[in-house]
Amino acid sequence: MADGQVVLVTTEPLGGVSPVRSVYFVAEQDPVKAKAIVGAMMAPNEKVEAWGRLPESAVKALGLNPGDFKHG
């Protein structure tokens, strides 16, 4: 097992209301790949950003296998 990434998704709703932010924990060490894993499931009005490193101990505690992700 290796470190993962914290990925932030920002949803820009229609109608001028404030954006909604969601956090995902991804069992992928490479930030670009982690962003792509989560981004594949998102809508066009959602911005996906790799936010930072997720320690290996947290990946294990979340029960994630390589390539898995979980909504935070």
Side-chain angles (χ1 to χ4, degrees), residues 2-53:
D3 289 346
Q5 289 289 317
V6 177
V7 173
L8 177 67
V9 175
T10 304
T11 304
E12 296 290 340
L14 301 174
V17 294
S18 298
V20 176
R21 292 180 180 85
S22 301
V23 174
Y24 290 82
F25 304 110
V26 186
E28 170 55 60
Q29 194 169 339
D30 182 318
V32 174
K33 289 180 182 177
K35 182 179 166 182
I37 289 168
V38 174
M41 305 296 292
M42 297 300 133
N45 68 325
E46 295 177 305
K47 180 175 135 187
V48 180
E49 306 172 67
W51 211 23
R53 181 180 150 284

